[in-house]
Structure formats: structure tokens, C-alpha cells
């Protein structure tokens, strides 16, 4: 009986080590740095590469790493209920045209889903909510703002009674927009919807992975969580 083939390494066609590639993706996606900022910081560490290499690596390996992070998190959270979701949409400018980035956040501030559309009508809301529900299951409550598209979409899904609307009830997702906004400014905005969708998904998963809620725990607990998250990151695609 033939032995099962070992999956081929995603780094097999690259001369650089996996450690350097992971470091480049981490620096560019997690922190508000430009391509050339990452190039300069790596040069100080004795790693000489072009900013276009940084672009190539995050495009090639960013979705791969983010997918593994998401799968590990979903497997760990499978036994827990996401009892409350917060949904909101934010404006993002693409070549002078406004598009909408829909985001779903759970009660702990973890970004569950990101979805880009050109409109914010019932059709766009329904597509976003179906995608989130299919991947993460159904919550007990869904907090939204006053946009009527949410009510229409929830009515079609048969979950209108789960909707909650309040003046400050949706601050959880409003505050979660801030890390992405800082990242957007560092990148001098986006130019294509495809790039925006890819980067928003990758950034959300990395933000979840390294979000340790340091303001809620003591220093020792925070250091342990940070070490564990970094160890998991260094083992990705190994």
C-alpha cells in the first residue's frame, strides 16, 4: 500500500527561509508600515530585500497564514457559543469611489467576517450575513445600527427577533474599525476591491491572533499569551 504523500512545502520555490517570510508578512500586515518601511527595518537586521519582495510575499503567504490561523481558532471555539454579534459597515475609498466594508465582531472583539460590496442595500447585507452565518453559526443576538437593510435581511433569514438596535450598543464594532483605519492610512488607501477584500480578511485574522486584551489581564498572563501566540505563528506552514 503506497504511503500517503506529505504535503509539499509552500516555501519550496523560495530561497529565503520560512522564518524570514513569516517575519515579513507579520510586520507588514500587523503593523501600520509601508512596503519600504518593512524593507528598511529588515535592512537594519541584516536582511537585504526589495519592497516588491515584501509585496509578493504578503500576497502569496498572507492568505495562507490567515487561513491556518482562522482554522485553528474555529476549532478551539467550536464548543463555545458566539452569543452576541455586532455588525457594521464602513466606507473605504477606491480610486475616488466609495465602497463598503462590512464587518462582524463577536462580544469579545474578535473579527468574525469581512466582506466588501459596492452598495449597502438589502442584497449586499443578505450576502454578507449568509457568509458569516454559514462559517460561524447562528448567534443569540445581533446588534446593529439603524440601517434598514439589516432589518430587511434579518426578516428574510427569519431572525428579526434577534436584532438589537441602541444608541451606544454597537460601540464594540465601531472601535474595532480603528486598527484597520490606521493600516489603511499607512498603505495610502486601496485601488482594487479584490485587494481590499484580501487584505481585510488577512488583517482581521492576524489582529485576532495577536489581540491579547492586555488592558484586562496582569502582565504575567499577557506575556504568556503573547509567547504562545508568537510560537503558533512561527509554526505556521511548517
Amino acid at each position: 500500500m503506497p504511503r500517503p504523500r506529505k504535503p509539499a512545502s509552500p516555501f519550496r520555490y523560495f530561497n529565503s527561509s520560512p522564518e524570514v517570510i513569516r517575519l515579513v508578512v507579520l510586520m507588514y500586515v500587523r503593523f501600520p508600515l509601508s512596503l519600504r518601511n518593512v524593507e528598511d527595518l529588515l535592512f537594519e537586521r541584516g536582511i537585504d530585500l526589495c519592497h516588491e519582495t515584501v509585496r509578493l510575499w504578503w500576497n502569496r503567504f498572507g492568505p495562507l497564514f490567515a487561513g491556518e490561523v482562522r482554522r485553528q481558532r474555529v476549532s478551539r471555539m467550536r464548543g463555545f457559543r458566539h452569543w452576541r454579534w455586532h455588525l457594521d459597515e464602513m466606507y473605504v475609498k477606491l480610486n475616488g469611489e466609495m465602497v463598503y466594508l462590512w464587518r462582524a465582531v463577536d462580544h469579545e472583539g474578535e473579527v468574525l467576517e469581512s466582506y466588501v460590496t459596492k452598495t449597502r442595500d438589502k442584497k449586499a447585507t443578505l450576502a454578507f450575513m449568509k457568509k458569516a452565518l454559514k462559517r460561524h453559526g447562528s448567534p443569540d443576538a445581533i446588534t446593529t445600527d439603524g440601517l434598514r437593510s439589516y432589518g430587511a435581511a434579518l426578516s428574510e433569514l427569519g431572525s428579526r427577533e434577534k436584532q438589537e438596535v441602541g444608541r451606544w450598543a454597537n460601540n464594540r464594532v465601531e472601535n474595532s474599525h480603528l486598527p484597520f483605519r490606521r493600516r489603511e492610512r499607512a498603505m495610502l488607501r486601496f485601488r482594487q476591491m479584490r485587494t481590499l477584500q484580501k487584505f481585510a480578511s488577512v488583517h482581521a485574522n492576524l489582529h485576532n491572533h495577536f489581540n491579547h486584551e492586555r488592558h484586562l489581564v496582569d502582565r504575567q498572563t499577557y506575556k504568556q499569551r503573547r509567547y504562545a501566540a508568537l510560537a503558533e505563528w512561527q509554526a505556521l506552514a511548517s
Side-chain angles (χ1 to χ4, degrees):
M1 184 176 180
R3 294 182 179 178
R5 285 188 177 181
K6 184 179 179 180
S9 171
F11 308 106
R12 62 189 182 278
Y13 297 126
F14 294 84
N15 293 328
S16 298
S17 66
E19 290 76 15
V20 172
I21 295 177
R22 293 191 195 98
L23 176 63
V24 168
V25 176
L26 174 65
M27 292 176 66
Y28 181 67
V29 178
R30 185 185 176 196
F31 303 107
L33 301 171
S34 67
L35 298 169
R36 289 171 174 81
N37 290 152
V38 176
E39 177 185 354
D40 292 340
L41 289 173
L42 290 172
F43 185 75
E44 289 189 38
R45 297 188 175 196
I47 304 173
D48 186 12
L49 52 82
C50 176
H51 68 277
E52 288 298 335
T53 303
V54 179
R55 188 198 308 275
L56 171 65
W57 285 354
W58 99 255
N59 272 288
R60 177 72 176 268
F61 294 99
L64 173 67
F65 296 156
E68 288 198 29
V69 168
R70 183 178 62 247
R71 283 190 292 272
Q72 292 177 8
R73 181 179 179 276
V74 169
S75 65
R76 288 195 298 265
M77 298 296 292
R78 191 165 294 164
F80 301 91
R81 288 184 60 84
H82 300 292
W83 55 272
R84 180 180 297 276
W85 287 5
H86 299 263
L87 309 184
D88 192 33
E89 74 287 346
M90 57 188 292
Y91 296 94
V92 181
K93 185 176 289 187
L94 298 180
N95 295 325
E97 178 184 0
M98 288 293 186
V99 298
Y100 301 93
L101 175 61
W102 303 79
R103 302 173 79 246
V105 176
D106 69 6
H107 59 281
E108 294 183 342
E110 301 284 339
V111 183
L112 302 175
E113 200 63 53
S114 301
Y115 189 63
V116 181
T117 63
K118 288 187 177 181
T119 60
R120 59 171 184 169
D121 53 9
K122 174 186 173 182
K123 181 179 179 181
T125 310
L126 196 59
F128 163 62
M129 296 188 69
K130 283 183 177 179
K131 182 180 179 182
L133 291 170
K134 181 179 179 181
R135 179 171 288 175
H136 301 281
S138 180
D140 291 338
I142 299 177
T143 304
T144 69
D145 56 19
L147 182 67
R148 289 183 293 178
S149 299
Y150 288 117
L154 286 169
S155 296
E156 184 164 330
L157 293 171
S159 303
R160 184 62 183 269
E161 70 281 356
K162 295 183 178 181
Q163 185 182 17
E164 298 180 1
V165 181
R167 187 174 182 182
W168 293 291
N170 218 23
N171 283 351
R172 169 67 77 179
V173 67
E174 293 286 352
N175 291 333
S176 76
H177 294 330
L178 299 179
F180 182 82
R181 284 299 190 197
R182 288 194 292 267
R183 198 65 197 81
E184 180 191 18
R185 287 193 295 270
M187 296 180 68
L188 303 178
R189 301 188 184 276
F190 299 89
R191 294 172 178 81
Q192 296 180 351
M193 288 186 63
R194 179 178 59 186
T195 305
L196 172 59
Q197 178 66 70
K198 177 190 288 188
F199 189 86
S201 299
V202 173
H203 180 269
N205 285 286
L206 262 70
H207 178 73
N208 291 340
H209 186 69
F210 290 101
N211 181 23
H212 311 304
E213 298 181 335
R214 62 186 304 169
H215 60 291
L216 300 177
V217 297
D218 59 87
R219 177 67 179 175
Q220 187 63 31
T221 303
Y222 168 70
K223 289 172 64 176
Q224 292 174 356
R225 292 180 179 179
R226 183 174 61 180
Y227 179 81
L230 190 59
E232 289 184 18
W233 174 261
Q234 292 171 348
L236 291 178
S238 59

